[in-house]
Amino acid sequence: GVESNRLHQEQLSTIAQLIGSVAAGSGATLLLSGEAGMGKSALLGRAIEMGRRAGLRVLRGECVRFEMGRAFGPFVDALRPLRGEPYVTADLAVAPASETARAMAGAPVDRYRTHAAFLRAFAAAAEERALLISVDDLHWADDSTLELFAHLSRRLTRSVLLVGTYRPEEVRGRPALRRTLGDLARDRSCDLPLRRLTASDQTRGTPRPIAVSTL
């Protein structure tokens, strides 16, 4: 409703500032958190639309509950549009998918080498054009995806906005997610929590300040 839209204006303003800094060459990580049905995906959609308008190339991945065993899955999906681009070599484009296949087959995976392959691919793309990389529903990510998310957040420091969404009520049951959020909290991430309207919000029709924690 109108009140909800007003309450989201502060988040949208913060997102616009992050997109502007990334378009100018900086790197940033944004987390959108909230309970199921709070509108995280809708807000992510707005962020993607704003990124595109600012000239960022959007690469998208999604974590799905029944694909939780799919190693690096969302980042493999996000990387797919880059394959065949002249600035991403065949080696970089194929390596992550190859490691994913090995992981699903139960073979040992050199995660450090795989992290490096993803990092090189995304960094090369960002040199050509600023990126917005989104991963929806991190609470359903496998451990390797969560580790890679934190790794990319630390290392993609130029022309990349890395965006993830998650449900805070799922954190307690996911130790790997808890560790990743802790790692991100020590870096330069921004967490924008969505909350439910209170009775006073609806009565006044004016927004109450939303706590934005710069992590």
Side-chain angles (χ1 to χ4, degrees):
V2 174
E3 291 85 0
S4 179
N5 288 336
R6 287 172 176 165
L7 286 169
H8 289 170
Q9 287 309 305
E10 187 169 339
Q11 282 104 328
L12 291 173
S13 176
T14 299
I15 291 169
Q17 292 174 17
L18 290 174
I19 288 173
S21 69
V22 168
S26 298
T29 297
L30 170 66
L31 297 172
L32 305 176
S33 60
E35 299 174 5
M38 288 294 293
K40 294 183 302 301
S41 294
L43 189 57
L44 175 61
R46 290 290 301 277
I48 287 171
E49 176 187 336
M50 292 163 66
R52 284 187 173 132
R53 286 204 305 266
L56 275 61
R57 181 170 190 173
V58 174
L59 304 174
R60 306 183 66 172
E62 180 182 8
C63 305
V64 182
R65 185 193 294 269
F66 61 81
E67 292 184 348
M68 286 182 68
R70 185 177 169 226
F72 312 110
F75 288 107
V76 171
D77 293 342
L79 190 65
R80 188 168 291 118
L82 298 180
R83 297 183 185 184
E85 296 283 1
Y87 50 83
V88 179
T89 67
D91 175 63
L92 295 181
V94 172
S98 174
E99 291 298 321
T100 301
R102 293 177 60 207
M104 294 179 69
V109 174
D110 183 347
R111 288 189 178 179
Y112 294 106
R113 185 167 68 85
T114 305
H115 289 179
F118 277 107
L119 177 63
R120 288 193 300 268
F122 288 129
E127 289 181 5
E128 181 78 11
R129 180 179 171 189
L131 300 178
L132 187 157
I133 306 170
S134 74
V135 181
D136 204 5
D137 291 332
L138 282 169
H139 49 275
W140 287 330
D142 73 297
D143 291 4
S144 67
T145 295
L146 292 169
E147 290 175 4
L148 180 56
F149 190 97
H151 180 74
L152 295 177
S153 176
R154 287 190 301 270
R155 301 298 298 275
L156 288 173
T157 58
R158 292 184 55 81
S159 303
V160 175
L161 177 58
L162 181 62
V163 185
T165 73
Y166 71 95
R167 297 178 186 172
E169 67 269 26
E170 301 282 351
V171 173
R172 178 178 298 180
R174 292 295 317 280
L177 177 58
R178 205 161 53 240
R179 286 193 301 272
T180 295
L181 294 176
D183 290 342
L184 294 171
R186 288 187 288 272
D187 294 328
R188 54 193 168 79
S189 304
C190 179
D191 195 332
L192 298 183
L194 279 68
R195 63 175 181 81
R196 297 189 184 280
L197 292 173
T198 65
S200 60
D201 289 328
Q202 295 175 354
T203 300
R204 292 195 312 267
T206 57
R208 188 176 72 181
I210 297 169
V212 177
S213 56
T214 303
L215 305 178

